[in-house]
């Protein structure tokens, strides 16, 4: 099964359309599998674990996420998936609220966030990102 680490263009277009028509808050559900050893695309980064590389991403993107109005609702270690494929496991789960889909997309497009993503790509073996909105 192919890894999912970036938002494909067709999914980004769907998010853009949603952002044009909706201004309510969204919560991004992040499911993440970490590499044992980070795999950096660029030279000059010391070898580290996937967990350490993800911590670098979190620190490097902290200010731009804060400026976008993002709030970490919950994060934790995934323990077991009672409903779902047994062969797929996740190491981490995070719920991050944004004021709107537009706020998320604007944050994602900043140079600061793109630079921080170097660490995210090095850290992750696979991921899923689910955009959710309140019922109603």
């Amino acid at each position: 099964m192919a890894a999912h680490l970036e938002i494909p263009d067709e999914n980004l277009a769907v998010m853009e359309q949603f952002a044009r028509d909706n201004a309510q808050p969204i919560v991004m559900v992040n499911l993440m599998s970490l590499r044992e050893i980070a795999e950096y695309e660029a030279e000059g980064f010391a070898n580290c674990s996937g967990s350490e590389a993800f911590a670098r991403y979190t620190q490097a993107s902290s200010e731009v996420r804060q400026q976008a109005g993002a709030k970490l609702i919950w994060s934790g270690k995934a323990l077991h998936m009672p409903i779902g494929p047994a062969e797929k496991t996740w190491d981490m789960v995070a719920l991050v609220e944004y004021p709107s889909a537009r706020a998320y997309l604007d944050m994602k497009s900043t140079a600061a966030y793109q630079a921080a993503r170097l660490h995210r790509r090095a850290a992750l073996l696979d991921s899923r990102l689910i955009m959710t909105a309140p019922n109603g």
Side-chain angles (χ1 to χ4, degrees):
M1 182 186 302
H4 299 275
L5 301 174
E6 302 294 338
I7 300 173
D9 289 341
E10 59 273 14
N11 292 357
L12 201 53
V14 170
M15 290 178 72
E16 287 284 355
Q17 181 61 48
F18 181 87
R20 280 191 286 277
D21 299 334
N22 298 278
Q24 79 261 30
I26 62 168
V27 173
M28 295 299 236
V29 178
N30 296 264
L31 305 175
M32 299 163 283
S33 291
L34 297 170
R35 297 177 190 277
E36 190 171 322
I37 303 296
E39 292 183 11
Y40 279 95
E41 301 161 355
E43 295 293 321
F45 289 95
N47 289 340
C48 66
S49 69
S51 181
E52 290 167 324
F54 197 81
R56 290 175 183 174
Y57 159 72
T58 299
Q59 182 177 10
S61 65
S62 175
E63 186 175 329
V64 71
R65 283 183 289 114
Q66 186 176 32
Q67 290 169 352
K71 294 181 216 164
L72 179 64
I73 296 172
W74 184 88
S75 70
K77 181 179 178 181
L79 300 176
H80 176 63
M81 191 162 48
I83 297 176
E87 67 277 3
K88 186 70 201 160
T89 59
W90 304 106
D91 297 310
M92 296 170 47
V93 178
L95 307 176
V96 182
E97 182 179 54
Y98 292 86
S100 65
R102 174 55 39 212
Y104 172 82
L105 291 166
D106 289 349
M107 177 210 64
K108 183 184 177 313
S109 68
T110 65
Y113 186 75
Q114 290 304 312
R117 289 183 56 77
L118 163 84
H119 302 296
R120 184 180 186 279
R121 285 190 301 273
L124 294 180
L125 182 62
D126 197 5
S127 68
R128 299 295 185 276
L129 182 63
I130 306 165
M131 185 175 76
T132 68
N135 289 328

